[in-house]
Amino acid sequence: MTAVLPLTSTAPALAPPRLLTRVEDGERLTSLLWTAGPGRRMISSAVLGGGIGERAWVLNAQVAHGYRRTDPDRHLAALAAGAGARGPGVGLMTAADVAACTRAQDAGVEAYVTAGVDVRGWAARPGGGTDGPREPGTINIVVAVPAPLSDAALVNAVTTATEAKVQALVEAGLDCSGTPTDAMCVAALVPGPDQRAHAFAGPRSLWGARLARAVHHAVREAVTAP
């Protein structure tokens, strides 16, 4: 039997981000900080706060081209703490100017995208890979879903967002499925006492369809902006 779940939530999954600036190694750099507060579950591939769990904030930090620090997690944590973020969070980084972030919304789902596509390619190609941090170029995607999602649905949401990203890249005429350093974070709500988490977030599910359209629009805008 299919469970009937609430279609909307009174609380957004993430508040709009704050734009932060700093000078590092003589270069002016920008960051975006979303403060989620309690009651948010996230899934992320980020170097800081990756995996699945309750998180209170998301930071997308611009770093200099040729970034060579070997402790990016500590670097991101220090930047977030300096901006007033408290508790566990997610930290992403990119060499792209995050002030050029694009945003798209679809029936409550919001997608934010920063894109640097100078270094790009197809996911499946001959040759070996390497462990460890890579030079950031990066399409970073932050998605907010104003509904509770199960662990499986959070994983499903990442797949759906990735499919929508690739669709946007191909439609924009770019010969790639992404960059070697793409990262993602999907935020959802923690189920309330009388709520069940949505079990699906594929592209034909209620929230997955909305997520796909929002991500597709934001990525397409990000990679075609002049």
Side-chain angles (χ1 to χ4, degrees), residues 167-218:
Q167 179 182 345
L169 292 171
V170 173
E171 289 177 356
L174 296 172
D175 56 343
C176 66
S177 55
T179 85
T181 52
D182 288 355
M184 187 177 302
C185 177
V186 178
L189 303 184
V190 172
D194 300 318
Q195 280 185 310
R196 288 178 56 192
H198 290 257
F200 305 103
R204 295 299 171 262
S205 68
L206 175 69
W207 290 107
R210 297 169 177 180
L211 180 152
R213 289 190 294 264
V215 170
H216 174 265
H217 185 90

mmCIF file of all heavy atoms in Angstrom, residues 167-218:
data_model
loop_
_atom_site.group_PDB
_atom_site.id
_atom_site.type_symbol
_atom_site.label_atom_id
_atom_site.label_comp_id
_atom_site.label_asym_id
_atom_site.label_seq_id
_atom_site.Cartn_x
_atom_site.Cartn_y
_atom_site.Cartn_z
ATOM 1 N N GLN A 167 21.974 16.085 -18.021
ATOM 2 C CA GLN A 167 21.032 16.512 -19.053
ATOM 3 C C GLN A 167 21.251 17.972 -19.412
ATOM 4 O O GLN A 167 21.288 18.350 -20.597
ATOM 5 C CB GLN A 167 19.595 16.301 -18.566
ATOM 6 C CG GLN A 167 18.533 16.739 -19.585
ATOM 7 C CD GLN A 167 17.113 16.573 -19.049
ATOM 8 O OE1 GLN A 167 16.885 15.887 -18.054
ATOM 9 N NE2 GLN A 167 16.171 17.225 -19.698
ATOM 10 N N ALA A 168 21.435 18.817 -18.393
ATOM 11 C CA ALA A 168 21.645 20.247 -18.651
ATOM 12 C C ALA A 168 22.956 20.492 -19.385
ATOM 13 O O ALA A 168 23.024 21.334 -20.293
ATOM 14 C CB ALA A 168 21.621 21.014 -17.330
ATOM 15 N N LEU A 169 24.016 19.771 -19.017
ATOM 16 C CA LEU A 169 25.305 19.958 -19.679
ATOM 17 C C LEU A 169 25.230 19.572 -21.154
ATOM 18 O O LEU A 169 25.737 20.292 -22.027
ATOM 19 C CB LEU A 169 26.377 19.117 -18.973
ATOM 20 C CG LEU A 169 26.759 19.548 -17.556
ATOM 21 C CD1 LEU A 169 27.656 18.492 -16.908
ATOM 22 C CD2 LEU A 169 27.446 20.900 -17.566
ATOM 23 N N VAL A 170 24.599 18.442 -21.432
ATOM 24 C CA VAL A 170 24.482 17.997 -22.822
ATOM 25 C C VAL A 170 23.620 18.959 -23.625
ATOM 26 O O VAL A 170 23.951 19.330 -24.766
ATOM 27 C CB VAL A 170 23.915 16.564 -22.879
ATOM 28 C CG1 VAL A 170 23.620 16.154 -24.310
ATOM 29 C CG2 VAL A 170 24.897 15.583 -22.246
ATOM 30 N N GLU A 171 22.518 19.403 -23.053
ATOM 31 C CA GLU A 171 21.651 20.351 -23.758
ATOM 32 C C GLU A 171 22.347 21.681 -24.015
ATOM 33 O O GLU A 171 22.038 22.372 -24.988
ATOM 34 C CB GLU A 171 20.368 20.579 -22.954
ATOM 35 C CG GLU A 171 19.435 19.388 -22.939
ATOM 36 C CD GLU A 171 18.212 19.617 -22.083
ATOM 37 O OE1 GLU A 171 18.113 20.682 -21.436
ATOM 38 O OE2 GLU A 171 17.344 18.728 -22.051
ATOM 39 N N ALA A 172 23.299 22.031 -23.138
ATOM 40 C CA ALA A 172 24.044 23.278 -23.319
ATOM 41 C C ALA A 172 25.174 23.136 -24.340
ATOM 42 O O ALA A 172 25.893 24.097 -24.609
ATOM 43 C CB ALA A 172 24.606 23.746 -21.978
ATOM 44 N N GLY A 173 25.338 21.924 -24.888
ATOM 45 C CA GLY A 173 26.353 21.704 -25.906
ATOM 46 C C GLY A 173 27.734 21.414 -25.365
ATOM 47 O O GLY A 173 28.718 21.485 -26.112
ATOM 48 N N LEU A 174 27.827 21.056 -24.081
ATOM 49 C CA LEU A 174 29.128 20.744 -23.481
ATOM 50 C C LEU A 174 29.382 19.250 -23.578
ATOM 51 O O LEU A 174 28.526 18.438 -23.222
ATOM 52 C CB LEU A 174 29.159 21.200 -22.022
ATOM 53 C CG LEU A 174 29.042 22.712 -21.813
ATOM 54 C CD1 LEU A 174 28.881 23.039 -20.337
ATOM 55 C CD2 LEU A 174 30.263 23.428 -22.377
ATOM 56 N N ASP A 175 30.561 18.881 -24.044
ATOM 57 C CA ASP A 175 30.893 17.472 -24.271
ATOM 58 C C ASP A 175 31.424 16.843 -22.987
ATOM 59 O O ASP A 175 32.594 16.486 -22.882
ATOM 60 C CB ASP A 175 31.918 17.343 -25.406
ATOM 61 C CG ASP A 175 33.185 18.166 -25.128
ATOM 62 O OD1 ASP A 175 33.133 19.063 -24.254
ATOM 63 O OD2 ASP A 175 34.214 17.895 -25.763
ATOM 64 N N CYS A 176 30.555 16.703 -21.995
ATOM 65 C CA CYS A 176 31.004 16.194 -20.701
ATOM 66 C C CYS A 176 29.815 15.727 -19.877
ATOM 67 O O CYS A 176 28.666 16.072 -20.151
ATOM 68 C CB CYS A 176 31.751 17.282 -19.930
ATOM 69 S SG CYS A 176 30.712 18.683 -19.446
ATOM 70 N N SER A 177 30.140 14.942 -18.846
ATOM 71 C CA SER A 177 29.143 14.590 -17.844
ATOM 72 C C SER A 177 29.390 15.353 -16.549
ATOM 73 O O SER A 177 28.631 15.214 -15.587
ATOM 74 C CB SER A 177 29.174 13.084 -17.568
ATOM 75 O OG SER A 177 30.475 12.665 -17.199
ATOM 76 N N GLY A 178 30.449 16.145 -16.512
ATOM 77 C CA GLY A 178 30.767 16.942 -15.336
ATOM 78 C C GLY A 178 32.245 17.252 -15.287
ATOM 79 O O GLY A 178 32.952 17.160 -16.292
ATOM 80 N N THR A 179 32.732 17.632 -14.102
ATOM 81 C CA THR A 179 34.160 17.853 -13.889
ATOM 82 C C THR A 179 34.667 16.781 -12.931
ATOM 83 O O THR A 179 33.873 16.106 -12.266
ATOM 84 C CB THR A 179 34.444 19.253 -13.297
ATOM 85 O OG1 THR A 179 34.296 19.195 -11.863
ATOM 86 C CG2 THR A 179 33.507 20.305 -13.875
ATOM 87 N N PRO A 180 35.988 16.606 -12.834
ATOM 88 C CA PRO A 180 36.516 15.558 -11.943
ATOM 89 C C PRO A 180 36.270 15.824 -10.469
ATOM 90 O O PRO A 180 36.482 14.938 -9.639
ATOM 91 C CB PRO A 180 38.019 15.564 -12.240
ATOM 92 C CG PRO A 180 38.163 16.221 -13.564
ATOM 93 C CD PRO A 180 37.061 17.221 -13.640
ATOM 94 N N THR A 181 35.840 17.037 -10.114
ATOM 95 C CA THR A 181 35.726 17.394 -8.695
ATOM 96 C C THR A 181 34.326 17.843 -8.309
ATOM 97 O O THR A 181 34.143 18.506 -7.284
ATOM 98 C CB THR A 181 36.727 18.515 -8.354
ATOM 99 O OG1 THR A 181 36.561 19.598 -9.288
ATOM 100 C CG2 THR A 181 38.154 18.009 -8.420
ATOM 101 N N ASP A 182 33.316 17.495 -9.094
ATOM 102 C CA ASP A 182 31.944 17.896 -8.759
ATOM 103 C C ASP A 182 31.561 17.409 -7.366
ATOM 104 O O ASP A 182 31.940 16.312 -6.943
ATOM 105 C CB ASP A 182 30.958 17.319 -9.770
ATOM 106 C CG ASP A 182 31.037 17.999 -11.125
ATOM 107 O OD1 ASP A 182 31.791 18.977 -11.255
ATOM 108 O OD2 ASP A 182 30.342 17.550 -12.044
ATOM 109 N N ALA A 183 30.780 18.224 -6.653
ATOM 110 C CA ALA A 183 30.306 17.845 -5.323
ATOM 111 C C ALA A 183 28.848 18.256 -5.175
ATOM 112 O O ALA A 183 28.348 19.122 -5.901
ATOM 113 C CB ALA A 183 31.158 18.486 -4.236
ATOM 114 N N MET A 184 28.183 17.620 -4.226
ATOM 115 C CA MET A 184 26.748 17.835 -4.076
ATOM 116 C C MET A 184 26.348 17.728 -2.611
ATOM 117 O O MET A 184 26.955 16.998 -1.823
ATOM 118 C CB MET A 184 25.977 16.795 -4.888
ATOM 119 C CG MET A 184 24.470 17.029 -4.932
ATOM 120 S SD MET A 184 23.619 15.837 -5.983
ATOM 121 C CE MET A 184 24.449 16.099 -7.555
ATOM 122 N N CYS A 185 25.292 18.456 -2.268
ATOM 123 C CA CYS A 185 24.665 18.333 -0.962
ATOM 124 C C CYS A 185 23.156 18.446 -1.152
ATOM 125 O O CYS A 185 22.681 19.377 -1.803
ATOM 126 C CB CYS A 185 25.156 19.426 -0.016
ATOM 127 S SG CYS A 185 24.355 19.397 1.613
ATOM 128 N N VAL A 186 22.416 17.496 -0.610
ATOM 129 C CA VAL A 186 20.955 17.539 -0.619
ATOM 130 C C VAL A 186 20.493 17.621 0.831
ATOM 131 O O VAL A 186 20.852 16.772 1.652
ATOM 132 C CB VAL A 186 20.338 16.307 -1.297
ATOM 133 C CG1 VAL A 186 18.808 16.374 -1.234
ATOM 134 C CG2 VAL A 186 20.796 16.208 -2.750
ATOM 135 N N ALA A 187 19.711 18.645 1.136
ATOM 136 C CA ALA A 187 19.184 18.840 2.486
ATOM 137 C C ALA A 187 17.687 18.552 2.501
ATOM 138 O O ALA A 187 16.957 18.959 1.601
ATOM 139 C CB ALA A 187 19.439 20.274 2.947
ATOM 140 N N ALA A 188 17.238 17.855 3.529
ATOM 141 C CA ALA A 188 15.820 17.568 3.708
ATOM 142 C C ALA A 188 15.491 17.765 5.187
ATOM 143 O O ALA A 188 16.361 18.096 6.003
ATOM 144 C CB ALA A 188 15.505 16.139 3.263
ATOM 145 N N LEU A 189 14.236 17.564 5.535
ATOM 146 C CA LEU A 189 13.800 17.756 6.909
ATOM 147 C C LEU A 189 13.891 16.442 7.684
ATOM 148 O O LEU A 189 13.800 15.355 7.119
ATOM 149 C CB LEU A 189 12.362 18.272 6.948
ATOM 150 C CG LEU A 189 12.066 19.567 6.191
ATOM 151 C CD1 LEU A 189 10.607 19.975 6.420
ATOM 152 C CD2 LEU A 189 12.995 20.694 6.634
ATOM 153 N N VAL A 190 14.054 16.563 8.991
ATOM 154 C CA VAL A 190 13.936 15.411 9.877
ATOM 155 C C VAL A 190 12.448 15.132 10.077
ATOM 156 O O VAL A 190 11.669 16.065 10.326
ATOM 157 C CB VAL A 190 14.619 15.697 11.232
ATOM 158 C CG1 VAL A 190 14.338 14.578 12.234
ATOM 159 C CG2 VAL A 190 16.116 15.877 11.044
ATOM 160 N N PRO A 191 11.999 13.891 9.963
ATOM 161 C CA PRO A 191 10.567 13.611 10.142
ATOM 162 C C PRO A 191 10.068 14.034 11.524
ATOM 163 O O PRO A 191 10.764 13.854 12.529
ATOM 164 C CB PRO A 191 10.477 12.089 9.980
ATOM 165 C CG PRO A 191 11.709 11.701 9.228
ATOM 166 C CD PRO A 191 12.763 12.681 9.638
ATOM 167 N N GLY A 192 8.878 14.633 11.561
ATOM 168 C CA GLY A 192 8.256 14.986 12.826
ATOM 169 C C GLY A 192 7.631 13.771 13.492
ATOM 170 O O GLY A 192 7.645 12.664 12.938
ATOM 171 N N PRO A 193 7.065 13.966 14.681
ATOM 172 C CA PRO A 193 6.486 12.831 15.431
ATOM 173 C C PRO A 193 5.418 12.064 14.659
ATOM 174 O O PRO A 193 5.297 10.852 14.805
ATOM 175 C CB PRO A 193 5.897 13.509 16.674
ATOM 176 C CG PRO A 193 6.631 14.800 16.801
ATOM 177 C CD PRO A 193 6.953 15.229 15.405
ATOM 178 N N ASP A 194 4.630 12.753 13.850
ATOM 179 C CA ASP A 194 3.539 12.104 13.113
ATOM 180 C C ASP A 194 3.814 12.044 11.615
ATOM 181 O O ASP A 194 2.885 11.950 10.815
ATOM 182 C CB ASP A 194 2.218 12.839 13.374
ATOM 183 C CG ASP A 194 1.845 12.841 14.848
ATOM 184 O OD1 ASP A 194 2.015 11.789 15.490
ATOM 185 O OD2 ASP A 194 1.409 13.894 15.352
ATOM 186 N N GLN A 195 5.085 12.138 11.229
ATOM 187 C CA GLN A 195 5.455 12.114 9.821
ATOM 188 C C GLN A 195 6.260 10.877 9.490
ATOM 189 O O GLN A 195 7.029 10.386 10.319
ATOM 190 C CB GLN A 195 6.298 13.344 9.455
ATOM 191 C CG GLN A 195 5.519 14.613 9.208
ATOM 192 C CD GLN A 195 6.478 15.699 8.744
ATOM 193 O OE1 GLN A 195 7.512 15.937 9.356
ATOM 194 N NE2 GLN A 195 6.146 16.346 7.649
ATOM 195 N N ARG A 196 6.083 10.386 8.279
ATOM 196 C CA ARG A 196 6.951 9.358 7.744
ATOM 197 C C ARG A 196 7.789 9.971 6.631
ATOM 198 O O ARG A 196 7.316 10.816 5.880
ATOM 199 C CB ARG A 196 6.139 8.198 7.185
ATOM 200 C CG ARG A 196 5.480 7.334 8.245
ATOM 201 C CD ARG A 196 4.656 6.246 7.600
ATOM 202 N NE ARG A 196 5.450 5.419 6.692
ATOM 203 C CZ ARG A 196 4.926 4.551 5.843
ATOM 204 N NH1 ARG A 196 3.606 4.432 5.742
ATOM 205 N NH2 ARG A 196 5.710 3.815 5.066
ATOM 206 N N ALA A 197 9.026 9.547 6.556
ATOM 207 C CA ALA A 197 9.890 10.061 5.500
ATOM 208 C C ALA A 197 9.471 9.500 4.151
ATOM 209 O O ALA A 197 9.060 8.340 4.049
ATOM 210 C CB ALA A 197 11.344 9.679 5.792
ATOM 211 N N HIS A 198 9.550 10.315 3.127
ATOM 212 C CA HIS A 198 9.284 9.848 1.767
ATOM 213 C C HIS A 198 10.329 8.805 1.390
ATOM 214 O O HIS A 198 11.520 8.977 1.639
ATOM 215 C CB HIS A 198 9.323 11.013 0.781
ATOM 216 C CG HIS A 198 8.166 11.953 0.920
ATOM 217 N ND1 HIS A 198 7.099 11.952 0.058
ATOM 218 C CD2 HIS A 198 7.907 12.914 1.845
ATOM 219 C CE1 HIS A 198 6.228 12.880 0.426
ATOM 220 N NE2 HIS A 198 6.702 13.478 1.509
ATOM 221 N N ALA A 199 9.888 7.739 0.784
ATOM 222 C CA ALA A 199 10.769 6.606 0.493
ATOM 223 C C ALA A 199 11.451 6.718 -0.854
ATOM 224 O O ALA A 199 12.395 5.973 -1.119
ATOM 225 C CB ALA A 199 9.975 5.299 0.561
ATOM 226 N N PHE A 200 10.989 7.646 -1.723
ATOM 227 C CA PHE A 200 11.521 7.719 -3.085
ATOM 228 C C PHE A 200 11.861 9.168 -3.445
ATOM 229 O O PHE A 200 11.180 10.102 -3.030
ATOM 230 C CB PHE A 200 10.502 7.180 -4.092
ATOM 231 C CG PHE A 200 10.034 5.784 -3.789
ATOM 232 C CD1 PHE A 200 8.786 5.563 -3.224
ATOM 233 C CD2 PHE A 200 10.856 4.696 -4.041
ATOM 234 C CE1 PHE A 200 8.357 4.286 -2.928
ATOM 235 C CE2 PHE A 200 10.437 3.412 -3.758
ATOM 236 C CZ PHE A 200 9.175 3.203 -3.194
ATOM 237 N N ALA A 201 12.906 9.327 -4.249
ATOM 238 C CA ALA A 201 13.245 10.646 -4.793
ATOM 239 C C ALA A 201 13.778 10.495 -6.208
ATOM 240 O O ALA A 201 14.609 11.277 -6.654
ATOM 241 C CB ALA A 201 14.255 11.356 -3.905
ATOM 242 N N GLY A 202 13.309 9.474 -6.918
ATOM 243 C CA GLY A 202 13.662 9.320 -8.325
ATOM 244 C C GLY A 202 12.983 10.376 -9.175
ATOM 245 O O GLY A 202 12.106 11.100 -8.696
ATOM 246 N N PRO A 203 13.347 10.493 -10.438
ATOM 247 C CA PRO A 203 12.851 11.587 -11.271
ATOM 248 C C PRO A 203 11.346 11.555 -11.548
ATOM 249 O O PRO A 203 10.810 12.538 -12.044
ATOM 250 C CB PRO A 203 13.655 11.454 -12.570
ATOM 251 C CG PRO A 203 14.163 10.056 -12.576
ATOM 252 C CD PRO A 203 14.352 9.670 -11.147
ATOM 253 N N ARG A 204 10.664 10.443 -11.244
ATOM 254 C CA ARG A 204 9.216 10.413 -11.431
ATOM 255 C C ARG A 204 8.474 10.377 -10.104
ATOM 256 O O ARG A 204 7.261 10.215 -10.077
ATOM 257 C CB ARG A 204 8.812 9.210 -12.304
ATOM 258 C CG ARG A 204 9.335 9.306 -13.730
ATOM 259 C CD ARG A 204 8.790 10.529 -14.457
ATOM 260 N NE ARG A 204 9.455 10.730 -15.737
ATOM 261 C CZ ARG A 204 10.453 11.573 -15.935
ATOM 262 N NH1 ARG A 204 10.936 12.283 -14.920
ATOM 263 N NH2 ARG A 204 11.004 11.704 -17.122
ATOM 264 N N SER A 205 9.183 10.530 -9.002
ATOM 265 C CA SER A 205 8.536 10.642 -7.694
ATOM 266 C C SER A 205 8.125 12.102 -7.465
ATOM 267 O O SER A 205 8.539 13.004 -8.200
ATOM 268 C CB SER A 205 9.478 10.186 -6.589
ATOM 269 O OG SER A 205 10.559 11.096 -6.451
ATOM 270 N N LEU A 206 7.333 12.325 -6.434
ATOM 271 C CA LEU A 206 6.841 13.683 -6.147
ATOM 272 C C LEU A 206 7.980 14.678 -5.980
ATOM 273 O O LEU A 206 8.086 15.666 -6.712
ATOM 274 C CB LEU A 206 5.966 13.652 -4.890
ATOM 275 C CG LEU A 206 5.491 15.026 -4.400
ATOM 276 C CD1 LEU A 206 4.498 15.623 -5.375
ATOM 277 C CD2 LEU A 206 4.874 14.906 -3.012
ATOM 278 N N TRP A 207 8.843 14.421 -5.011
ATOM 279 C CA TRP A 207 9.909 15.382 -4.736
ATOM 280 C C TRP A 207 11.075 15.235 -5.694
ATOM 281 O O TRP A 207 11.767 16.211 -5.997
ATOM 282 C CB TRP A 207 10.369 15.244 -3.282
ATOM 283 C CG TRP A 207 9.331 15.734 -2.325
ATOM 284 C CD1 TRP A 207 8.537 14.980 -1.504
ATOM 285 C CD2 TRP A 207 8.927 17.092 -2.133
ATOM 286 N NE1 TRP A 207 7.673 15.782 -0.806
ATOM 287 C CE2 TRP A 207 7.892 17.088 -1.171
ATOM 288 C CE3 TRP A 207 9.330 18.308 -2.667
ATOM 289 C CZ2 TRP A 207 7.261 18.259 -0.741
ATOM 290 C CZ3 TRP A 207 8.701 19.484 -2.251
ATOM 291 C CH2 TRP A 207 7.684 19.444 -1.290
ATOM 292 N N GLY A 208 11.318 14.033 -6.204
ATOM 293 C CA GLY A 208 12.396 13.849 -7.161
ATOM 294 C C GLY A 208 12.155 14.596 -8.455
ATOM 295 O O GLY A 208 13.086 15.169 -9.042
ATOM 296 N N ALA A 209 10.911 14.624 -8.930
ATOM 297 C CA ALA A 209 10.588 15.350 -10.156
ATOM 298 C C ALA A 209 10.850 16.840 -9.982
ATOM 299 O O ALA A 209 11.396 17.509 -10.874
ATOM 300 C CB ALA A 209 9.134 15.096 -10.545
ATOM 301 N N ARG A 210 10.465 17.357 -8.825
ATOM 302 C CA ARG A 210 10.695 18.781 -8.555
ATOM 303 C C ARG A 210 12.185 19.077 -8.444
ATOM 304 O O ARG A 210 12.676 20.092 -8.955
ATOM 305 C CB ARG A 210 9.959 19.168 -7.269
ATOM 306 C CG ARG A 210 8.451 19.008 -7.374
ATOM 307 C CD ARG A 210 7.766 19.142 -6.034
ATOM 308 N NE ARG A 210 6.314 19.051 -6.182
ATOM 309 C CZ ARG A 210 5.453 19.143 -5.171
ATOM 310 N NH1 ARG A 210 5.903 19.308 -3.938
ATOM 311 N NH2 ARG A 210 4.158 19.063 -5.390
ATOM 312 N N LEU A 211 12.891 18.196 -7.758
ATOM 313 C CA LEU A 211 14.341 18.351 -7.610
ATOM 314 C C LEU A 211 15.025 18.334 -8.970
ATOM 315 O O LEU A 211 15.895 19.165 -9.253
ATOM 316 C CB LEU A 211 14.868 17.236 -6.711
ATOM 317 C CG LEU A 211 16.355 17.171 -6.396
ATOM 318 C CD1 LEU A 211 16.588 16.514 -5.045
ATOM 319 C CD2 LEU A 211 17.126 16.390 -7.459
ATOM 320 N N ALA A 212 14.633 17.403 -9.833
ATOM 321 C CA ALA A 212 15.256 17.289 -11.156
ATOM 322 C C ALA A 212 15.064 18.563 -11.960
ATOM 323 O O ALA A 212 16.005 19.058 -12.599
ATOM 324 C CB ALA A 212 14.685 16.091 -11.904
ATOM 325 N N ARG A 213 13.865 19.097 -11.958
ATOM 326 C CA ARG A 213 13.608 20.320 -12.736
ATOM 327 C C ARG A 213 14.396 21.500 -12.181
ATOM 328 O O ARG A 213 14.954 22.312 -12.939
ATOM 329 C CB ARG A 213 12.107 20.620 -12.754
ATOM 330 C CG ARG A 213 11.297 19.649 -13.590
ATOM 331 C CD ARG A 213 9.873 20.130 -13.764
ATOM 332 N NE ARG A 213 9.126 20.159 -12.501
ATOM 333 C CZ ARG A 213 8.328 19.171 -12.076
ATOM 334 N NH1 ARG A 213 8.194 18.063 -12.790
ATOM 335 N NH2 ARG A 213 7.672 19.293 -10.932
ATOM 336 N N ALA A 214 14.456 21.625 -10.844
ATOM 337 C CA ALA A 214 15.195 22.741 -10.251
ATOM 338 C C ALA A 214 16.680 22.652 -10.555
ATOM 339 O O ALA A 214 17.321 23.638 -10.940
ATOM 340 C CB ALA A 214 14.951 22.777 -8.742
ATOM 341 N N VAL A 215 17.261 21.457 -10.401
ATOM 342 C CA VAL A 215 18.689 21.291 -10.672
ATOM 343 C C VAL A 215 18.984 21.510 -12.158
ATOM 344 O O VAL A 215 19.950 22.200 -12.516
ATOM 345 C CB VAL A 215 19.164 19.892 -10.227
ATOM 346 C CG1 VAL A 215 20.581 19.614 -10.733
ATOM 347 C CG2 VAL A 215 19.105 19.768 -8.717
ATOM 348 N N HIS A 216 18.171 20.946 -13.014
ATOM 349 C CA HIS A 216 18.364 21.111 -14.455
ATOM 350 C C HIS A 216 18.386 22.584 -14.825
ATOM 351 O O HIS A 216 19.276 23.052 -15.557
ATOM 352 C CB HIS A 216 17.248 20.378 -15.207
ATOM 353 C CG HIS A 216 17.264 20.592 -16.681
ATOM 354 N ND1 HIS A 216 16.497 21.568 -17.298
ATOM 355 C CD2 HIS A 216 17.948 19.975 -17.683
ATOM 356 C CE1 HIS A 216 16.712 21.527 -18.602
ATOM 357 N NE2 HIS A 216 17.582 20.582 -18.859
ATOM 358 N N HIS A 217 17.433 23.345 -14.329
ATOM 359 C CA HIS A 217 17.346 24.769 -14.678
ATOM 360 C C HIS A 217 18.560 25.528 -14.135
ATOM 361 O O HIS A 217 19.152 26.360 -14.847
ATOM 362 C CB HIS A 217 16.059 25.359 -14.104
ATOM 363 C CG HIS A 217 15.815 26.773 -14.505
ATOM 364 N ND1 HIS A 217 15.108 27.117 -15.640
ATOM 365 C CD2 HIS A 217 16.208 27.944 -13.953
ATOM 366 C CE1 HIS A 217 15.061 28.435 -15.749
ATOM 367 N NE2 HIS A 217 15.725 28.963 -14.735
ATOM 368 N N ALA A 218 18.941 25.261 -12.876
ATOM 369 C CA ALA A 218 20.052 26.004 -12.279
ATOM 370 C C ALA A 218 21.374 25.668 -12.946
ATOM 371 O O ALA A 218 22.209 26.554 -13.170
ATOM 372 C CB ALA A 218 20.112 25.720 -10.777
#
